Amino acid sequence: MSHPPDALNVEANSIKDDQIMEEGPASAHTIGTDSWVQVSLLLVTSFNCGWILSFSNLMMVPMSWAWGISSLIFVGFFSFYSSWLLGDFHFIQGQRFIRYRDLMNFVFGKKMYYVTMIFQFLTFILVNMGFILLGGKALKEINLLFSDTAMRLQYYIIITGAAYFVFSIVVPNMSAMRMWIGLSTFLTFGYIGVVLVTTINDGKSNKSKDYAIKGSTEDKVFNALGALSAMMVSNNSGMIPEIQSTLRKPVVKNLRRALCAQYTFGLMVYYGVSITGYWAYGSEVPDYLPKAISGPKWARVLINSAVFLQNIISQHMFLQPVHEALDSKFLKVEEGTYSRENLKRRFLLRAILFTGNTLVTAAIPFMGDFMNFLGSFTLVTLTFIFPSVIFIKVKGKTAKIGQKTWHWTIVLVFSLLAVATTISAVRLIIKDISTYRLFANQ
């Protein structure tokens, strides 16, 4: 049901706790128990997963120094602002929204519920496939360090998918990740420390660095749009309400603290790795930074091992909304999380999900182009466009002209960016389609 804007109120300060109702069906996952420190560490470590080792190539090479740094700052600022804004709408008129799709349903009606759900789930499932592919490649890199030949990539993908499946059974929801965050933090900053030390050493000895942007004018423009898309994907999750739902009171204030941690310390780390890799190797930096490192073998083994293990934990956060939807639909919510019946049902749900994701990943290990395509459209819409249109709808009659103009500008600018980056992604798919092979051993 859609609600008129004058009936909505973003503030919940005047509403007592026992008057707050959760919009949507009851959740099978834990709600409102996590500290902001726990969520901060979860965000910082999850966004500093192994994917950051491709950022030098994806973000900096197509733009070089001036445009690259400027774009990183631009995307980082608006990612922080949009996430902060969306977090302010966790409560509206006594309703608490623990799911993004429930918030969109309350404000805009049932059609936007399904649009948001489709956008989110396509993004989360594709991101999970990307994590499976990255884990498989990390394992294959370790194998190649000890042998000139290695098993097909598909075997490592299956191993990775199985590891993610087991972890999803052991850790049923986001709040249950608390005991694993310490290990994730250790692995994250362990491998990043080794990467930075070895990369800086290589950069000091590399006297022939070339930072020129290569290609025709057309290639440069479309590659720059692809870099912008990568920056937006690297800074956002598309699941702020779901993350916020795990926080204890005061929920809005605690989310702000967690976001400040992510977009200061966390952002400086993965931006730092991206910039350092580009500085060290220039435009020749590979799509996976450890491939360029000339340090000792043990350093590359350690990096790839840590990436594989850390990704097991990180990928779990980005797939939680899918797990929550399935669990809330098919588990017996009135029974305990670890009841025998719920364990059987969760095992079956996770098995179906990861079998499908692993099979698709093994079949199309060139999915990076498709991730870029979906991320360009769905994640930009979820992160930048929807929060501003929510503000315009909810606060339209009380907001100042300047506020409304600001948010309409955000909607316009990022709508144009979404279209442009999507066109760039489609062009890349068309350009690379001749190289696609099912079950390719890349």
Side-chain angles (χ1 to χ4, degrees):
M1 175 180 174
S2 182
H3 297 254
D6 55 352
L8 304 176
N9 177 18
V10 72
E11 303 296 339
N13 294 335
S14 60
I15 300 171
K16 296 179 181 178
D17 290 344
D18 59 3
Q19 293 178 308
I20 293 174
M21 303 280 291
E22 286 182 6
E23 181 80 359
S27 178
H29 286 196
T30 305
I31 302 297
T33 62
D34 299 345
S35 70
W36 71 269
V37 175
Q38 177 181 327
V39 174
S40 296
L41 286 173
L42 181 65
L43 289 172
V44 169
T45 55
S46 295
F47 278 92
N48 277 289
C49 61
W51 279 113
I52 70 172
L53 300 179
S54 65
F55 288 175
S56 299
N57 175 275
L58 289 175
M59 299 178 187
M60 295 300 297
V61 170
M63 290 189 166
S64 196
W65 288 114
W67 281 105
I69 299 296
S70 300
S71 298
L72 286 172
I73 295 171
F74 170 82
V75 173
F77 170 78
F78 278 100
S79 298
F80 176 51
Y81 175 79
S82 296
S83 298
W84 182 289
L85 178 66
L86 185 57
D88 281 350
F89 293 98
H90 196 63
F91 297 100
I92 302 177
Q93 198 184 1
Q95 297 288 108
R96 182 181 185 184
F97 301 95
I98 62 174
R99 305 175 186 90
Y100 204 158
R101 59 189 182 277
D102 291 333
L103 171 59
M104 294 299 288
N105 176 51
F106 186 82
V107 177
F108 295 104
K110 202 66 176 179
K111 286 184 180 178
M112 289 306 297
Y113 172 94
Y114 291 112
V115 168
T116 305
M117 182 176 69
I118 291 169
F119 278 19
Q120 278 192 303
F121 286 19
L122 280 174
T123 302
F124 301 147
I125 290 172
L126 202 59
V127 165
N128 186 254
M129 293 178 186
F131 270 107
I132 294 173
L133 178 60
L134 180 61
K137 286 188 172 182
L139 289 178
K140 187 174 182 179
E141 285 292 320
I142 296 172
N143 193 165
L144 288 171
L145 287 171
F146 294 97
S147 172
D148 293 333
T149 59
M151 294 189 300
R152 289 184 62 86
L153 176 62
Q154 280 68 27
Y155 291 109
Y156 300 107
I157 286 173
I158 292 170
I159 293 169
T160 304
Y164 291 0
F165 163 68
V166 171
F167 190 79
S168 73
I169 297 296
V170 175
V171 185
N173 54 58
M174 203 182 304
S175 293
M177 294 177 70
R178 64 171 61 91
M179 66 183 67
W180 296 90
I181 292 176
L183 175 61
S184 181
T185 303
F186 174 77
L187 290 169
T188 299
F189 294 105
Y191 89 79
I192 287 175
V194 175
V195 166
L196 287 175
V197 169
T198 52
T199 301
I200 290 171
N201 285 337
D202 282 354
K204 289 178 177 177
S205 60
N206 183 4
K207 305 300 182 184
S208 58
K209 296 190 266 299
D210 178 14
Y211 300 114
I213 303 175
K214 296 178 173 60
S216 65
T217 301
E218 180 184 343
D219 287 337
K220 289 177 181 178
V221 171
F222 281 107
N223 290 341
L225 289 172
L228 265 178
S229 178
M231 290 176 191
M232 289 185 280
V233 170
S234 72
N235 277 286
N236 299 286
S237 64
M239 52 182 283
I240 288 297
E242 288 81 0
I243 293 170
Q244 193 171 13
S245 72
T246 68
L247 283 162
R248 64 176 67 133
K249 302 169 187 175
V251 179
V252 174
K253 184 177 181 180
N254 283 336
L255 177 74
R256 290 173 177 175
R257 290 169 171 169
L259 290 174
C260 285
Q262 178 193 345
Y263 288 106
T264 52
F265 181 68
L267 181 143
M268 285 190 293
V269 174
Y270 55 82
Y271 276 14
V273 171
S274 307
I275 293 168
T276 302
Y278 183 62
W279 165 79
Y281 307 108
S283 58
E284 299 302 316
V285 63
D287 58 356
Y288 185 59
L289 195 55
K291 290 180 180 179
I293 291 174
S294 61
K297 181 188 291 186
W298 66 261
R300 285 175 284 171
V301 171
L302 189 151
I303 291 168
N304 283 294
S305 300
V307 165
F308 175 77
L309 294 173
Q310 196 267 4
N311 279 2
I312 294 176
I313 303 171
S314 292
Q315 61 83 28
H316 198 51
M317 185 195 85
F318 294 105
L319 198 57
Q320 277 305 302
V322 179
H323 290 322
E324 192 274 336
L326 292 173
D327 291 351
S328 298
K329 176 71 174 178
F330 295 105
L331 267 57
K332 293 186 175 181
V333 179
E334 67 276 8
E335 294 187 14
T337 301
Y338 299 100
S339 70
R340 180 175 296 181
E341 182 62 26
N342 280 342
L343 281 172
K344 289 191 295 184
R345 295 188 181 200
R346 185 161 55 246
F347 182 93
L348 180 61
L349 292 170
R350 302 291 197 271
I352 293 171
L353 179 62
F354 281 103
T355 298
N357 285 2
T358 303
L359 178 61
V360 173
T361 305
I364 52 172
F366 43 80
M367 66 173 56
D369 290 353
F370 296 96
M371 288 180 65
N372 195 16
F373 168 69
L374 268 180
S376 297
F377 187 71
T378 60
L379 199 54
V380 171
T381 304
L382 290 167
T383 301
F384 302 103
I385 299 173
F386 281 0
S388 283
V389 296
I390 291 172
F391 178 91
I392 293 165
K393 177 79 172 183
V394 173
K395 305 290 283 184
K397 289 191 174 181
T398 58
K400 298 177 181 178
I401 294 295
Q403 291 176 310
K404 287 188 284 188
T405 302
W406 167 251
H407 287 286
W408 274 118
T409 302
I410 290 175
V411 171
L412 177 62
V413 169
F414 282 97
S415 294
L416 292 174
L417 274 177
V419 172
T421 54
T422 301
I423 292 172
S424 173
V426 171
R427 176 181 177 272
L428 186 61
I429 291 173
I430 294 171
K431 185 178 178 181
D432 292 347
I433 198 166
S434 62
T435 66
Y436 294 160
R437 296 289 185 275
L438 288 178
F439 296 98
N441 183 29
Q442 294 186 334

